[in-house]
Amino acid sequence: MTDVQMQDANGHANGSTAYGKAAVNGLLKVGSKPAAPKQTNKEDLQLVLQSFRLLIADLCQQFGMEGVGCEALSYAGHLKLNNLTVIYDNNQITCDGSVDLTNTEDVNKKVEACGWEVIDVMDGVNDVEGIVAALEKGRDPNRTKPLFINVRSIIGVGSAVAGEAVSHGAPLGKDNVAAMKKVYGWDTKKVFHIPDKVKKFYEDIPARGEKHVKEWNDLLAQYSEEYPDLAKTFKERMAGKLPDNWASMIPSSFPSDPTPSRKSNNMVVSNIFAECPTFMVGTADLTPSVNMTWPDYEIFNPPDLKPISGKKGSYKGRYIHYGIREHVMAAIANGLAAYSPRTIIPITSTFFMFYLYAAPAVRMGALQKLKVIHVATHDSIGAGEDGPTHQPVELAALYRAMPNMEYIRPGDSEEVAGAWKRAIEYDGGPTMISVSRQAIPQLPRLTKRDGVGKGAYVLQEEQEAVVTLISAGAELSFPVNVAEVLSEKGVKARVVSFPCHKLFREQPLDYQREVLRRNEGIPAVVIEPYVSLGWERWADAGVNMKGFGHSLPGKYIYQYFGFTTQGMAGKIEGFVTDFRDGKVGRGEFVEL
Amino acid sequence: MTDVQMQDANGHANGSTAYGKAAVNGLLKVGSKPAAPKQTNKEDLQLVLQSFRLLIADLCQQFGMEGVGCEALSYAGHLKLNNLTVIYDNNQITCDGSVDLTNTEDVNKKVEACGWEVIDVMDGVNDVEGIVAALEKGRDPNRTKPLFINVRSIIGVGSAVAGEAVSHGAPLGKDNVAAMKKVYGWDTKKVFHIPDKVKKFYEDIPARGEKHVKEWNDLLAQYSEEYPDLAKTFKERMAGKLPDNWASMIPSSFPSDPTPSRKSNNMVVSNIFAECPTFMVGTADLTPSVNMTWPDYEIFNPPDLKPISGKKGSYKGRYIHYGIREHVMAAIANGLAAYSPRTIIPITSTFFMFYLYAAPAVRMGALQKLKVIHVATHDSIGAGEDGPTHQPVELAALYRAMPNMEYIRPGDSEEVAGAWKRAIEYDGGPTMISVSRQAIPQLPRLTKRDGVGKGAYVLQEEQEAVVTLISAGAELSFPVNVAEVLSEKGVKARVVSFPCHKLFREQPLDYQREVLRRNEGIPAVVIEPYVSLGWERWADAGVNMKGFGHSLPGKYIYQYFGFTTQGMAGKIEGFVTDFRDGKVGRGEFVEL
């Protein structure tokens, strides 16, 4: 390894660098008071800045351009996050050249317009004291706004490519690293060498860290004596513990009349949300649609904010109005989850289709195995009038393919209960609970909440079956009705509920065979108004969407696309005959 | 139908309303001079405003919050689009309540910071003259900035729910519509009734339209006489015609040494881009990586902009530096494509993984069947060091599932030629050409550009084969090498190149059987370092990714995840044996 390789390994956006880990694991301790700034002189600080520059020369100019950055800027200013400081490494360089090739906005004015305070550091290369002074201003507890430090820097300073785009996208190379060291008065021959003066500057870090830990532990001990109940709660929250009885807060049964599964969601979780402060629940401006509130919920907002609508909040609030900002909603939820496992369990919510806007952050949550629960409503063409812009047909393929993500489509209130039980228990990544806008039939003698955790289970067995019908979510009653019609025609069908691909994929082969019975020669047909991609693994044929949806009221749209009981029964009967007669080639998935 | 239903059918974001179509089909004619404003009086204008209000009460407050809006704002200001006017229907209402619940930024200041001029209309309910005056200012050809008209409006004005969130998300209902009509002095009993005064105001529209068309035709006739060559070009462009010889600008052969397919892209299209002004090519700040430039390309930028990097441009330029704004890049490309079919063919480019940021706009292009070509490089774990944040494993599932989208992974330069040939010919929606960062082997005696258009084709036939190996893109050489090793072990394998799911799905069943031969009992194994989801339709087993990637240099990463020739050959040999011995159940996809 050389300096150059290390630079490369620390490329932008790589997430968990050694730095990040150190910060999380030891140097920063939750709740600790800011330590008194260490006495330093300018020379020391310059040296430290140099050593950082040699370690990570690759910083980004994305802030202010990328949409999610703008969403964060706008919302953080609104929330008056006075303990947030952003250092803007304003080197005016992107991969393509100088930033002004594509961005000439007045960044300070834009940031101020969003409710931030701005401090300029005009000479970010030399004015180390200016940077430190600005950072210290960010620690002032009397602040009322987040702080934006606009540091004018020069990328690759000291090298032959200083201030050029090539310093951003490519490793500097041996010669340029040596040139930088020469400018700094360092030994140009040594690589991965930390000069003694730098080491010396940092040598008291372990001792300081120990001191912080001790102070913290003493404070907590004192607190525990004075406030034993609060201290117990605090420790349980930090240990990620939910109340022992959380699962019993889920109703054991549900009304049997048709219910939108987005309303079932509320019946299942509103008690848990009300009782367990672990849950931070938010929505991207769809409160009336997503049904994620609970009685007397409090809004997370600055306490001095007096909205026109009269909905006041406080920083104790656990309901977050993210605004029409899906992407940053998911990103903030990741941050809440990353703080400490299960100390906060963040819930996001919007229409399923709008999780395409949030997808890059949802993916980062999956990559980092963060426990976030995404609530996606209006998850089918059944959403109706809003039309194909709001009707997902291909999006499930993304979330079913995404590693660590459990995308669950529960088929009635009972299965909604199972989906939440699994989601609250699952620690391997995010969950997406995908529910319906429209009322859907309840299947009280058929559905089983414990079946959801296995991904799929037999809803209706039929020993002599010649076909297995598979479905999920809002359309789970479809195969039940189709099976009845087929039975009248003498075609015996069994029915499988299949709420989650990932969970079923992880079951033992024996269980999979027991559920699907394809190894007994019984073909499977899936009914789902998404495109078929992904179902071909579990079925031999499908009644699926072949293109985008259409703007029609819910009661007409299924008919328009052929999802009628009689229509589907006819197609499936034809398929069963073709299959029996050997007209379907091995491994050939048939679109019905 | 009632007023209420019509409101509902015109819900936000629905795209192609009757209004939009009327505007595109007749009222606005490309290139026509702005007509002199019609003489109107305040009363007339108020009436028109009322009729619009009754038709569409559902307008959005998304601008300023949603990331893509901020990207557009920033870039339009940079480009100094002096013929762009945005009317901000500032009604301070979202679904959740008043906007200040989640957004308290100074919108005017933010917009000005992005290089726009702002005009306030403080009383958007009554000050119709103010709105008209602002709109007329927007038509001033001497403007130097885009114009933002901040109209303070009251949602649902005249109804009992005026200024309330419920007017946004739900139909107003009969009583409220009647209340509005009463306030306006309209007949409250009549529904879908256009008062005579409104009709009269609009009655000269057909005649004005005819006049515009005649003026335009006369102008074009005069222009054609004065500038016959330019007029010919203009007419061909408007007819969507490319030069007859465009396909012959693609080289007939390519160098045989290993080549990154992102570089093959440039070999294939740089002549076409240079010669055909139809193509508007852009990138989200990855010019050095995507290889989409051509000799002497000109940048699209304001002519008076003098960037620090010295890269000047003009409005004649056809190369667009979109900045780090993937989402709006795809949205703008949609707009360019929607202008008129094939008059402009927009090309976007970035890393494949970053097309997740652009996905909502890419989807809107697919929904509207817009001809946009997206160039996605670094499309595999082979991208290397940048790690799992940059290594797609699940994203292909989204684009393979998206209706109308052709996601193509060409396997060498010859297939890259085929991918572009298909993309330029395809008029049913967008194409994504997915290429490699790293050099990949060329297969000059095997690959066929015309095979790409069929989605899949036989790369190496073997009559006595016991297994078919399938692959695509950067890894197409893998099955060729594996087949050789298997052959040494006496296991005869044939190889299929499979660059595009959609194109193969659309082939006749006979062709599909000829290529895959699964109906002859030969199992197929896919080799692709994405997750398997979607391949189960075409294969019985797969060597695929089971989770996210890893940060490793390209030469180590395939090894790390088991994509070595010997390793894969061993697994596949085992599978072939299991398959022959009946250990693989019918329809059971095996992850190797």
Side-chain angles (χ1 to χ4, degrees):
Chain A
M1 290 269 282
T2 67
D3 282 24
V4 171
Q5 283 172 325
M6 188 156 172
Q7 260 179 26
D8 205 59
N10 279 295
H12 59 288
N14 262 6
S16 65
T17 60
Y19 268 102
K21 280 179 194 154
V24 170
N25 291 339
L27 295 183
L28 306 171
K29 229 7 212 187
V30 174
S32 64
K33 289 176 296 183
K38 187 177 166 181
Q39 287 305 315
T40 50
N41 59 42
K42 185 174 171 173
E43 197 190 330
D44 277 352
L45 289 169
Q46 186 69 48
L47 195 68
V48 171
L49 202 64
Q50 287 167 4
S51 62
F52 269 92
R53 231 176 254 146
L54 280 161
L55 207 57
I56 308 172
D58 187 353
L59 293 165
C60 279
Q61 194 60 260
Q62 283 178 229
F63 185 88
M65 286 202 267
E66 197 78 77
V68 66
C70 298
E71 292 183 8
L73 182 69
S74 167
Y75 192 47
H78 167 82
L79 289 177
K80 301 186 181 179
L81 300 182
N82 70 341
N83 59 354
L84 174 65
T85 296
V86 165
I87 305 176
Y88 182 40
D89 176 33
N90 188 353
N91 61 33
Q92 286 295 315
I93 284 298
T94 65
C95 291
D96 278 10
S98 53
V99 168
D100 56 0
L101 203 53
T102 186
N103 195 12
T104 39
E105 69 195 18
D106 181 338
V107 171
N108 284 2
K109 186 171 173 180
K110 178 170 158 180
V111 173
E112 281 172 357
C114 291
W116 293 57
E117 184 183 346
V118 172
I119 296 180
D120 282 308
V121 177
M122 302 310 292
D123 176 8
V125 175
N126 299 300
D127 184 11
V128 187
E129 287 151 322
I131 295 173
V132 172
L135 286 169
E136 278 174 10
K137 191 151 185 193
R139 293 157 71 130
D140 177 356
N142 296 319
R143 300 183 51 72
T144 57
K145 294 176 172 186
L147 177 64
F148 181 81
I149 309 178
N150 187 342
V151 182
R152 272 67 162 194
S153 61
I154 297 172
I155 196 167
V157 67
S159 78
V161 290
E164 290 180 21
V166 71
S167 327
H168 169 94
L172 283 172
K174 261 191 228 177
D175 292 348
N176 273 318
V177 171
M180 287 173 78
K181 289 183 178 175
K182 196 173 174 192
V183 170
Y184 302 160
W186 291 26
D187 187 331
T188 58
K189 298 245 162 42
K190 292 184 179 165
V191 294
F192 276 99
H193 171 69
I194 298 168
D196 288 341
K197 281 175 88 173
V198 174
K199 266 191 202 144
K200 207 171 152 54
F201 182 81
Y202 283 120
E203 71 186 358
D204 65 343
I205 281 190
R208 280 165 70 201
E210 290 303 323
K211 190 162 159 275
H212 291 322
V213 171
K214 189 179 178 312
E215 281 169 3
W216 170 254
N217 287 337
D218 290 348
L219 181 68
L220 191 57
Q222 191 187 331
Y223 183 78
S224 303
E225 269 181 40
E226 288 181 38
Y227 309 98
D229 290 351
L230 286 171
K232 182 169 173 285
T233 304
F234 176 77
K235 285 172 188 168
E236 283 175 0
R237 288 288 303 280
M238 290 309 296
K241 204 171 163 310
L242 283 172
D244 290 334
N245 65 339
W246 71 263
S248 71
M249 296 179 201
I250 300 176
S252 56
S253 68
F254 298 94
S256 60
D257 48 321
T259 312
S261 44
R262 58 178 171 142
K263 291 206 169 157
S264 310
N265 263 346
N266 195 274
M267 290 190 258
V268 169
V269 293
S270 67
N271 286 339
I272 298 179
F273 290 174
E275 297 297 324
C276 308
T278 296
F279 293 89
M280 288 285 285
V281 184
T283 182
D285 191 42
L286 283 172
T287 297
S289 299
V290 296
N291 298 288
M292 282 288 108
T293 59
W294 58 95
D296 303 321
Y297 71 94
E298 191 171 357
I299 295 168
F300 183 83
N301 243 342
D304 60 347
L305 180 79
K306 294 177 182 58
I308 296 167
S309 56
K311 298 180 181 177
K312 289 195 66 180
S314 82
Y315 290 135
K316 285 192 300 179
R318 291 191 288 110
Y319 190 82
I320 307 179
H321 288 284
Y322 286 105
I324 308 160
R325 304 183 186 99
E326 294 82 8
H327 194 162
V328 90
M329 169 173 72
I332 292 170
N334 288 344
L336 294 172
Y339 171 72
S340 171
R342 302 175 75 90
T343 297
I344 296 170
I345 300 180
I347 314 286
T348 79
S349 62
T350 184
F351 292 162
F352 178 39
M353 201 57 245
F354 297 174
Y355 277 105
L356 189 56
Y357 289 77
V362 174
R363 180 183 200 262
M364 285 303 294
L367 178 50
Q368 295 167 81
K369 300 188 179 179
L370 296 173
K371 185 175 178 59
V372 178
I373 302 174
H374 303 287
V375 178
T377 178
H378 294 49
D379 81 338
S380 135
I381 57 169
E385 292 88 339
D386 277 336
T389 53
H390 288 53
Q391 292 164 351
V393 295
E394 80 284 42
L395 185 54
L398 175 67
Y399 290 118
R400 284 173 177 158
M402 189 174 280
N404 307 329
M405 161 61 79
E406 297 195 342
Y407 173 76
I408 307 179
R409 288 194 79 204
D412 69 355
S413 301
E414 174 70 10
E415 286 200 357
V416 168
W420 280 99
K421 197 160 171 293
R422 170 64 192 171
I424 292 172
E425 283 167 353
Y426 176 51
D427 280 325
T431 300
M432 191 171 288
I433 298 180
S434 181
V435 289
S436 74
R437 172 196 183 197
Q438 73 276 22
I440 56 175
Q442 302 300 295
L443 306 168
R445 283 171 306 278
L446 302 176
T447 46
K448 296 185 192 74
R449 69 184 68 185
D450 290 339
V452 176
K454 294 178 179 167
Y457 64 99
V458 179
L459 200 69
Q460 269 184 329
E461 193 48 278
E462 166 54 67
Q463 284 312 319
E464 309 298 317
V466 294
V467 65
T468 299
L469 306 180
I470 295 172
S471 194
E475 293 81 22
L476 185 56
S477 65
F478 290 14
V480 177
N481 299 336
V482 169
E484 204 180 320
V485 170
L486 285 175
S487 157
E488 287 161 13
K489 297 183 182 201
V491 179
K492 293 185 174 170
R494 53 199 296 278
V495 181
V496 165
S497 175
F498 207 135
C500 181
H501 283 214
K502 171 177 177 286
L503 285 165
F504 189 62
R505 210 171 54 226
E506 291 170 353
Q507 296 303 311
L509 186 59
D510 283 352
Y511 179 75
Q512 291 177 347
R513 288 180 171 176
E514 190 187 314
V515 172
L516 292 179
R517 293 176 59 191
R518 290 169 86 195
N519 62 320
E520 297 174 32
I522 305 173
V525 179
V526 63
I527 297 172
E528 190 184 54
Y530 292 161
V531 298
S532 57
L533 191 130
W535 279 113
E536 301 99 330
R537 178 164 187 161
W538 311 111
D540 303 273
V543 184
N544 300 109
M545 292 292 286
K546 292 170 185 72
F548 289 108
H550 201 70
S551 177
L552 276 173
K555 59 178 168 177
Y556 298 120
I557 193 161
Y558 285 115
Q559 196 179 327
Y560 183 84
F561 284 111
F563 291 90
T564 60
T565 303
Q566 291 296 339
M568 289 188 284
K571 284 179 183 175
I572 292 167
E573 187 184 12
F575 167 75
V576 169
T577 306
D578 284 352
F579 189 87
R580 190 195 54 206
D581 296 348
K583 288 186 188 155
V584 181
R586 229 196 108 272
E588 282 170 4
F589 185 84
V590 182
E591 296 193 6
L592 300 175
Chain B
M1 290 269 284
T2 67
D3 283 24
V4 171
Q5 282 173 325
M6 188 154 172
Q7 260 180 25
D8 205 61
N10 279 295
H12 59 289
N14 262 6
S16 65
T17 61
Y19 268 101
K21 279 179 193 153
V24 170
N25 292 336
L27 296 183
L28 306 171
K29 227 10 211 187
V30 174
S32 65
K33 288 176 294 181
K38 188 177 167 180
Q39 287 306 313
T40 50
N41 59 43
K42 185 174 171 173
E43 198 191 330
D44 278 351
L45 289 169
Q46 186 68 48
L47 196 69
V48 171
L49 202 63
Q50 287 167 3
S51 62
F52 269 92
R53 230 176 254 148
L54 281 162
L55 207 58
I56 309 173
D58 187 352
L59 293 165
C60 280
Q61 193 60 262
Q62 284 178 228
F63 186 89
M65 287 203 265
E66 196 78 77
V68 66
C70 299
E71 292 182 6
L73 182 69
S74 167
Y75 192 47
H78 168 82
L79 289 178
K80 302 188 182 178
L81 299 182
N82 69 342
N83 59 352
L84 174 65
T85 296
V86 166
I87 305 176
Y88 182 41
D89 176 33
N90 188 353
N91 60 34
Q92 286 295 316
I93 284 299
T94 65
C95 292
D96 277 10
S98 53
V99 167
D100 57 359
L101 203 54
T102 186
N103 194 12
T104 40
E105 69 195 18
D106 181 338
V107 171
N108 283 1
K109 187 172 172 179
K110 178 169 156 181
V111 173
E112 280 172 359
C114 290
W116 293 56
E117 184 183 345
V118 173
I119 295 180
D120 282 309
V121 177
M122 301 311 291
D123 177 8
V125 175
N126 299 298
D127 185 10
V128 186
E129 285 151 323
I131 296 173
V132 171
L135 285 169
E136 278 174 9
K137 193 153 183 190
R139 292 157 74 131
D140 177 356
N142 296 319
R143 301 182 51 72
T144 57
K145 294 177 173 187
L147 176 64
F148 181 80
I149 309 177
N150 187 342
V151 182
R152 273 67 162 194
S153 60
I154 298 172
I155 196 167
V157 66
S159 77
V161 290
E164 289 180 22
V166 72
S167 330
H168 170 93
L172 282 173
K174 261 192 224 171
D175 293 348
N176 273 318
V177 171
M180 288 173 78
K181 288 183 178 174
K182 197 173 173 192
V183 170
Y184 302 160
W186 292 26
D187 187 332
T188 57
K189 300 247 162 40
K190 291 183 178 163
V191 294
F192 276 98
H193 170 70
I194 299 168
D196 288 342
K197 281 175 89 174
V198 175
K199 267 192 201 144
K200 208 171 152 54
F201 183 80
Y202 283 120
E203 72 185 358
D204 66 343
I205 281 190
R208 279 165 72 199
E210 290 303 322
K211 189 161 160 275
H212 290 322
V213 171
K214 188 179 178 309
E215 280 169 3
W216 169 254
N217 287 337
D218 291 349
L219 182 68
L220 191 58
Q222 191 188 331
Y223 183 78
S224 303
E225 269 181 39
E226 286 181 39
Y227 309 99
D229 289 352
L230 286 172
K232 181 169 174 283
T233 303
F234 176 77
K235 286 173 189 169
E236 283 174 0
R237 288 288 302 281
M238 289 311 295
K241 205 172 164 310
L242 284 171
D244 290 334
N245 65 338
W246 71 264
S248 71
M249 296 179 200
I250 300 176
S252 56
S253 68
F254 297 93
S256 60
D257 48 321
T259 311
S261 44
R262 58 179 170 140
K263 291 206 171 158
S264 310
N265 263 345
N266 194 272
M267 290 190 259
V268 169
V269 291
S270 66
N271 287 337
I272 298 179
F273 290 174
E275 297 297 324
C276 307
T278 295
F279 293 89
M280 287 285 286
V281 184
T283 183
D285 190 42
L286 282 172
T287 298
S289 298
V290 296
N291 299 289
M292 282 287 109
T293 59
W294 58 95
D296 303 321
Y297 72 94
E298 191 171 358
I299 295 168
F300 182 83
N301 244 341
D304 59 347
L305 180 79
K306 293 178 183 56
I308 295 167
S309 56
K311 297 179 181 176
K312 288 196 66 180
S314 83
Y315 290 134
K316 284 192 300 178
R318 290 192 291 111
Y319 189 82
I320 307 178
H321 288 284
Y322 285 105
I324 307 159
R325 304 182 185 101
E326 295 83 8
H327 193 162
V328 91
M329 169 173 72
I332 292 170
N334 288 345
L336 294 173
Y339 171 72
S340 171
R342 303 175 75 91
T343 297
I344 297 170
I345 300 178
I347 313 287
T348 79
S349 61
T350 183
F351 292 163
F352 179 39
M353 201 56 244
F354 296 174
Y355 277 105
L356 190 56
Y357 289 77
V362 174
R363 181 183 199 262
M364 284 303 293
L367 178 50
Q368 297 167 79
K369 301 188 179 178
L370 295 173
K371 185 175 177 61
V372 178
I373 302 173
H374 302 289
V375 177
T377 178
H378 293 48
D379 80 339
S380 135
I381 57 169
E385 292 89 339
D386 277 336
T389 54
H390 288 53
Q391 292 163 351
V393 294
E394 80 285 41
L395 185 55
L398 176 67
Y399 289 118
R400 284 172 177 158
M402 188 174 281
N404 308 330
M405 161 62 79
E406 297 194 344
Y407 172 76
I408 307 178
R409 288 194 79 204
D412 69 354
S413 301
E414 174 71 10
E415 286 200 355
V416 168
W420 279 98
K421 196 160 172 292
R422 169 64 192 172
I424 293 172
E425 283 167 353
Y426 177 52
D427 280 326
T431 301
M432 191 172 287
I433 298 179
S434 181
V435 290
S436 75
R437 173 195 183 196
Q438 73 275 23
I440 55 175
Q442 302 300 295
L443 305 168
R445 280 171 308 279
L446 301 175
T447 47
K448 296 185 191 75
R449 68 184 67 185
D450 289 338
V452 176
K454 293 178 180 169
Y457 64 99
V458 179
L459 200 69
Q460 269 184 329
E461 194 47 279
E462 167 54 67
Q463 284 312 320
E464 307 299 315
V466 293
V467 65
T468 299
L469 306 181
I470 295 173
S471 195
E475 293 81 22
L476 185 57
S477 64
F478 289 15
V480 176
N481 297 336
V482 169
E484 201 179 323
V485 170
L486 284 175
S487 157
E488 286 161 14
K489 298 182 179 200
V491 179
K492 292 185 175 169
R494 54 200 293 279
V495 181
V496 165
S497 174
F498 206 136
C500 181
H501 283 214
K502 171 176 176 285
L503 285 165
F504 190 62
R505 211 170 54 226
E506 291 170 354
Q507 296 303 311
L509 185 59
D510 283 351
Y511 179 75
Q512 291 178 348
R513 288 181 171 175
E514 190 187 313
V515 172
L516 292 179
R517 292 178 59 192
R518 291 169 86 196
N519 62 321
E520 297 174 32
I522 304 173
V525 179
V526 63
I527 297 171
E528 190 185 54
Y530 292 161
V531 298
S532 58
L533 191 129
W535 279 114
E536 300 99 330
R537 179 163 187 161
W538 311 113
D540 303 274
V543 184
N544 300 108
M545 292 293 286
K546 292 171 184 70
F548 289 108
H550 202 70
S551 176
L552 275 173
K555 60 179 168 177
Y556 299 119
I557 192 159
Y558 285 114
Q559 195 179 329
Y560 182 83
F561 284 109
F563 292 89
T564 59
T565 303
Q566 291 297 337
M568 290 188 283
K571 285 178 183 175
I572 292 167
E573 187 184 12
F575 167 75
V576 169
T577 305
D578 285 351
F579 189 88
R580 190 195 54 206
D581 296 349
K583 288 184 188 160
V584 180
R586 230 196 108 276
E588 283 170 5
F589 185 85
V590 182
E591 296 192 6
L592 299 176

